[in-house]
Amino acid sequence: MKKLVTMGEIMLRLSTPNNEKFIQADEFDINYGGGEANVAVSVANYGHESEFVTALPANELGDCAVAALRKYGVETKHIARCGERLGIYYLETGSAMRPSKVVYDRAHSSISTATAKDFDFDAIFEGADWFHFTGITPALSDSAAQLTEEALKAAKKHGLTVSVDLNFRKKLWTSEKAQKVMTGLMKYVDVCIGNEEDAELVLGFKPAATNVTSGKLNLEGYKSIFEQMVEKFGFKYAISSLRVSHSASDNGWSACIYNGETKEFYHSREYRIAPIVDRVGGGDSFAGGVICGFLDGKDFKSALEFGVAASALKHTIPGDFNLVSRKEVDALAGGDGSGRVQR
């Protein structure tokens, strides 16, 4: 059993029930989630040790966020209890041709004001094997970006494998700011994960002749930018999820990976996911599945297939967290997608 550490923000999620628009809703469903927290839950659910590091206010809402993580076996002992507030995001779940919408209320959240002085990274990374972060955390504030770099330095000092999910959020920062900050962090990264939009807006690489809105994917374009990314940053692996949005309720889902050492490019099996129950956290469940595959000791192709199958299943589960079992993922990756009742 290996150990993963992730660091980022967990938020209170308030989502409209029954696909209602915000203006219709008289109540909200409550969940907790956030990019790195979602990954931590996935990996814990598959049987590896998993720890999530963040800052939360020392109040009842902070306690609820910690409890949501502990419920699914995630270690929380190094969460700092400081700052003023727990971030919130509101979700209007779309359907058919109506897209989902997210409204953030996360300014001045505890993690956005935390500094390296609030954490003992030597203790956090003692005995760990893998550190995962996303492009969301550095986007929260300049101090959060500095905190992320301090964590990365400590992770490499302790010999951990480091992965990033580029995760560009236009409501948090501009592409110009993202490229300035994230490019400087890539020297610490071994495994880079991100879709085609992330690669362009965060690192400046765009696959040729690809339009996910129309469903047109050019795999040679992905291979080309992977080669460029590996050449520039020295990644061991460059990975992209491939989502074709036929509608908000109907997506094609697959992924591709490039091995920086052997120069091999591999495209996974493709799944047709319809109807989608909840796509929020889908990318995080993919990252968590791929990381689990590598922690298991799988080869890079098998790790990718595990991640794609795990994420396809996540789209059937409400909430941010992927709560499917390893057995369920293995079954789907092995070809059983019938959905028949298990008796």
Side-chain angles (χ1 to χ4, degrees):
M1 185 167 59
K2 301 289 188 178
K3 181 177 180 180
L4 166 76
V5 176
T6 72
M7 186 184 78
E9 181 171 30
I10 186 169
M11 293 179 289
L12 173 64
R13 164 178 155 170
L14 301 176
S15 51
T16 59
N18 304 316
N19 296 100
E20 291 178 350
K21 289 181 66 63
F22 286 131
I23 199 168
Q24 294 176 280
D26 296 315
E27 60 185 9
F28 290 104
D29 293 328
I30 294 175
N31 296 102
Y32 293 86
E36 299 89 348
N38 299 342
V39 171
V41 170
S42 283
V43 172
N45 197 44
Y46 302 136
H48 290 288
E49 291 185 60
S50 182
E51 178 169 358
F52 179 62
V53 177
T54 191
L56 292 170
N59 60 28
E60 287 78 4
L61 290 179
D63 294 343
C64 288
V66 171
L69 293 162
R70 287 178 175 168
K71 179 180 180 179
Y72 298 111
V74 175
E75 177 61 66
T76 60
K77 65 183 178 183
H78 291 111
I79 289 180
R81 303 306 295 269
C82 60
E84 297 180 0
R85 64 178 303 229
L86 176 71
I88 302 171
Y89 82 93
Y90 299 85
L91 173 66
E92 179 184 284
T93 304
S95 181
M97 68 287 298
R98 176 169 62 86
S100 297
K101 296 179 181 178
V102 170
V103 176
Y104 289 127
D105 179 16
R106 63 201 301 183
H108 310 295
S109 64
S110 292
I111 189 62
S112 72
T113 58
T115 69
K117 295 178 181 179
D118 295 308
F119 303 95
D120 183 348
F121 285 122
D122 286 330
I124 288 169
F125 292 126
E126 182 67 32
D129 301 282
W130 194 293
F131 177 58
H132 179 74
F133 75 106
T134 78
I136 299 172
T137 305
L140 296 175
S141 65
D142 289 342
S143 62
Q146 182 60 43
L147 173 64
T148 302
E149 183 160 21
E150 293 302 316
L152 287 167
K153 290 177 180 177
K156 298 310 290 186
K157 184 179 75 171
H158 283 264
L160 276 66
T161 298
V162 172
S163 59
V164 63
D165 191 334
L166 297 174
N167 269 346
F168 178 75
R169 295 291 184 267
K170 65 182 179 182
K171 293 185 178 181
L172 295 179
W173 60 358
T174 65
S175 175
E176 291 74 20
K177 180 69 177 290
Q179 290 189 34
K180 180 179 179 180
V181 173
M182 292 294 287
T183 297
L185 301 180
M186 291 303 103
K187 59 179 174 286
Y188 304 106
V189 172
D190 302 295
V191 179
C192 182
I193 304 169
N195 61 29
E196 69 293 324
E197 182 182 37
D198 296 331
E200 178 182 4
L201 296 176
V202 177
L203 297 180
F205 296 93
K206 180 177 174 58
T210 288
N211 187 322
V212 295
T213 302
S214 67
K216 182 179 181 182
L217 298 177
N218 175 24
L219 292 177
E220 283 300 316
Y222 284 89
K223 181 181 179 182
S224 176
I225 66 166
F226 284 170
E227 290 172 339
Q228 296 173 54
M229 290 163 68
V230 168
E231 174 73 21
K232 182 172 182 177
F233 299 115
F235 300 141
K236 292 180 181 178
Y237 297 101
I239 304 170
S240 179
S241 58
L242 303 171
R243 184 189 297 275
V244 178
S245 293
H246 305 291
S247 75
S249 309
D250 182 355
N251 287 182
W253 185 250
S254 64
C256 54
I257 188 170
Y258 182 77
N259 186 323
E261 180 179 349
T262 65
K263 313 303 181 187
E264 292 179 85
F265 178 84
Y266 176 73
H267 179 221
S268 76
R269 173 185 173 184
E270 182 174 357
Y271 298 88
R272 184 73 177 259
I273 311 171
I276 292 172
V277 173
D278 192 338
R279 63 165 282 180
V280 176
D284 305 322
S285 64
F286 170 65
V290 171
I291 291 169
C292 176
F294 281 123
L295 292 176
D296 288 346
K298 291 180 171 66
D299 64 76
F300 73 99
K301 297 177 182 179
S302 298
L304 188 74
E305 292 289 0
F306 188 89
V308 174
S311 185
L313 287 168
K314 161 62 190 76
H315 287 71
T316 70
I317 298 173
D320 273 47
F321 297 157
N322 191 12
L323 304 177
V324 297
S325 68
R326 178 187 286 269
K327 183 178 180 180
E328 290 173 307
V329 177
D330 286 337
L332 181 59
D336 183 4
S338 65
R340 291 175 63 88
V341 175
Q342 301 297 305
R343 300 185 189 274

